[in-house]
């Protein structure tokens, strides 16, 4: 059972990469740079809702844990280390109607995640674009390649090859 209680490293990196890209996409790129400047309440709420969900998911993945179904995530993400750090800011994002304050909170959360990713050695630049999703993807590819070189094919699946 213990071997199934945590993500395999290559899958975890894939989950982290996806979360980072989505946080950047819904948060810094779309909300802060585009949607917040338009008079479109539905688009703003859609961006923020997606951003909040991906932020909670990343909290679980940074603890190498599985994320929960969306309706239980908000009750449990504060049990993660980063979740405890950002819970108040996420609450502030959804509580305020001030678009400028929301944008500031989005940037604060992205900064917290960048610092955490940097501290874990997942990104090399604390100011990484797209929260370092490309660098994490490259790290995952190297890991898969190295595993293939060390152990050969696993379960009949050929080792990953670089293009």
């Amino acid at each position: 059972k213990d071997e199934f209680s945590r993500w395999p490293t290559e899958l975890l990196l894939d989950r982290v990469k996806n979360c980072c890209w989505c946080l950047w996409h819904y948060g810094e790129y779309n909300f802060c740079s585009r949607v917040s400047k338009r008079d479109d309440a539905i688009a703003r709420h859609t961006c923020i809702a997606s951003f909040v969900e991906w932020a909670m998911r990343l909290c679980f993945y940074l603890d190498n844990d599985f994320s929960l179904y969306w309706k239980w995530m908000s009750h449990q993400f504060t049990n993660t280390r980063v979740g405890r750090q950002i819970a108040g800011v996420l609450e502030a994002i959804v509580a305020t109607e001030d678009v400028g304050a929301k944008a500031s909170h989005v940037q604060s959360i992205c900064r917290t995640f960048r610092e955490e990713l940097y501290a874990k050695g997942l990104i090399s630049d604390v100011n990484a674009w797209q929260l370092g999703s490309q660098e994490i993807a490259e790290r995952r590819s190297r890991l898969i390649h190295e595993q293939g070189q060390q152990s050969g094919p696993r379960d009949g699946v050929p080792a990953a090859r670089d293009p």
Side-chain angles (χ1 to χ4, degrees), residues 49-70:
S50 294
F51 177 83
V52 168
E53 181 177 352
W54 287 106
M56 290 187 293
R57 285 189 190 285
L58 186 54
C59 290
F60 288 103
Y61 298 145
L62 290 174
D63 276 1
N64 196 8
D65 202 355
F66 296 93
S67 69
L68 302 172
Y69 189 59
W70 67 267

Side-chain angles (χ1 to χ4, degrees), residues 101-132:
K102 281 184 189 287
S104 178
H105 294 319
V106 164
Q107 291 167 338
S108 171
I109 288 172
C110 288
R111 187 170 35 259
T112 298
F113 280 125
R114 277 188 183 91
E115 290 167 358
E116 181 66 18
L117 293 164
Y118 181 79
K120 287 184 169 285
L122 295 174
I123 61 174
S124 60
D125 180 3
V126 77
N127 296 309
W129 184 65
Q130 294 182 351
L131 281 103

Side-chain angles (χ1 to χ4, degrees), residues 93-161:
I93 286 175
V94 298
T96 186
E97 290 301 318
D98 181 332
V99 176
K102 281 184 189 287
S104 178
H105 294 319
V106 164
Q107 291 167 338
S108 171
I109 288 172
C110 288
R111 187 170 35 259
T112 298
F113 280 125
R114 277 188 183 91
E115 290 167 358
E116 181 66 18
L117 293 164
Y118 181 79
K120 287 184 169 285
L122 295 174
I123 61 174
S124 60
D125 180 3
V126 77
N127 296 309
W129 184 65
Q130 294 182 351
L131 281 103
S133 59
Q134 183 61 39
E135 185 175 355
I136 295 167
E138 291 166 3
R139 182 179 302 271
R140 178 183 178 273
S141 293
R142 282 192 307 273
L143 175 68
I144 290 170
H145 182 73
E146 290 167 4
Q147 288 175 344
Q149 293 292 322
Q150 293 171 1
S151 61
R154 292 185 297 167
D155 299 356
V157 178
R161 303 268 186 248

Side-chain angles (χ1 to χ4, degrees), residues 34-53:
R34 302 173 63 90
V35 175
S36 65
K37 295 170 174 49
R38 297 194 317 238
D39 185 25
D40 187 347
I42 294 173
R44 286 194 308 268
H45 287 288
T46 301
C47 274
I48 290 300
S50 294
F51 177 83
V52 168
E53 181 177 352

